[in-house]
């Protein structure tokens, strides 16, 4: 059983998930608190096997409900990594494809966000990947609340190791 509460009394996320004793998981609480006072949860089973020599592993998860499909491009002067036509996860059950990591060269990149099929950059941020590290990159917030504001569209990432 999993519960998330901002005050220790009111659960904004609660559910029974089939966690395995030796499993490794990422749990994303997302979406606006609905009329019943709860959030949605995305539970991914993680494979945190270290990346191949001199590599980093990354994945991208689309948690922004009003952006439509997004093309994500992570680029520097040497490499370009793309995650194309990524739809909002919505009420979909966690899928193996969301949990999968891609291998990339470590280094400093710029992450560009575009609406699928458009060449116009909606948002961009610098990102940096370190050798041997595993990262989840995700977008959150609402495009309607502008870009880069506390409740607006944002990109965040974290290292699992």
């Amino acid at each position: 059983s999993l519960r998330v509460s901002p005050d220790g009394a009111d659960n904004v996320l609660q559910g029974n998930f089939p966690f395995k004793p030796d499993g490794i998981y990422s749990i994303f609480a997302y979406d606006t608190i609905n009329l019943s006072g709860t959030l949605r949860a995305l539970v991914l089973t993680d494979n945190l096997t270290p990346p191949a020599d001199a590599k980093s592993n990354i994945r991208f998860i689309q948690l922004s409900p009003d952006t439509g499909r997004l093309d994500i491009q992570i680029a520097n002067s040497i490499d370009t990594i793309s995650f194309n036509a990524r739809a909002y996860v919505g009420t979909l059950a966690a899928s193996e494809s969301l949990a999968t990591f891609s291998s990339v060269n470590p280094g400093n990149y710029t992450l560009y966000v575009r609406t699928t099929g458009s060449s116009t950059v909606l948002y961009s941020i610098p990102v940096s990947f370190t050798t041997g590290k595993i990262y989840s990159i995700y977008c959150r917030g609402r495009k309607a609340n502008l870009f880069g504001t506390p409740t607006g569209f944002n990109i965040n990432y974290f290292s699992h190791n």
Side-chain angles (χ1 to χ4, degrees):
S1 179
L2 172 71
R3 293 181 195 183
V4 176
S5 173
D7 59 10
D10 299 315
N11 295 324
V12 294
L13 177 64
Q14 182 173 333
N16 293 317
F17 299 96
F19 296 123
K20 295 179 183 173
D22 59 347
I24 300 171
Y25 302 92
S26 290
I27 302 169
F28 295 87
Y30 68 99
D31 212 345
T32 305
I33 294 179
N34 61 29
L35 294 176
S36 66
T38 60
L39 297 169
R40 293 180 180 168
L42 174 66
V43 179
L44 300 176
T45 302
D46 292 335
N47 176 353
L48 299 183
T49 300
D53 288 346
K55 295 287 186 178
S56 300
N57 285 348
I58 64 172
R59 69 178 170 201
F60 176 77
I61 301 161
Q62 212 287 49
L63 300 173
S64 180
D66 67 343
T67 56
R69 290 185 179 272
L70 297 176
D71 290 342
I72 305 300
Q73 183 182 54
I74 303 169
N76 62 20
S77 61
I78 301 168
D79 293 316
T80 299
I81 303 101
S82 296
F83 297 95
N84 293 321
R86 291 299 175 106
Y88 170 61
V89 298
T91 58
L92 300 175
S95 78
E96 204 171 293
S97 66
L98 291 175
T100 303
F101 291 94
S102 299
S103 184
V104 299
N105 290 317
N108 297 318
Y109 293 81
T110 300
L111 184 149
Y112 301 96
V113 178
R114 295 177 178 88
T115 301
T116 295
S118 172
S119 62
T120 302
V121 174
L122 299 173
Y123 191 70
S124 66
I125 63 163
V127 293
S128 182
F129 306 125
T130 303
T131 301
K133 296 290 185 179
I134 302 168
Y135 299 90
S136 284
I137 305 165
Y138 62 97
C139 64
R140 63 174 181 80
R142 294 184 173 272
K143 181 177 157 184
N145 296 344
L146 306 177
F147 293 91
T149 65
T151 60
F153 182 90
N154 280 284
I155 298 281
N156 297 96
Y157 70 108
F158 63 90
S159 171
H160 293 267
N161 57 342

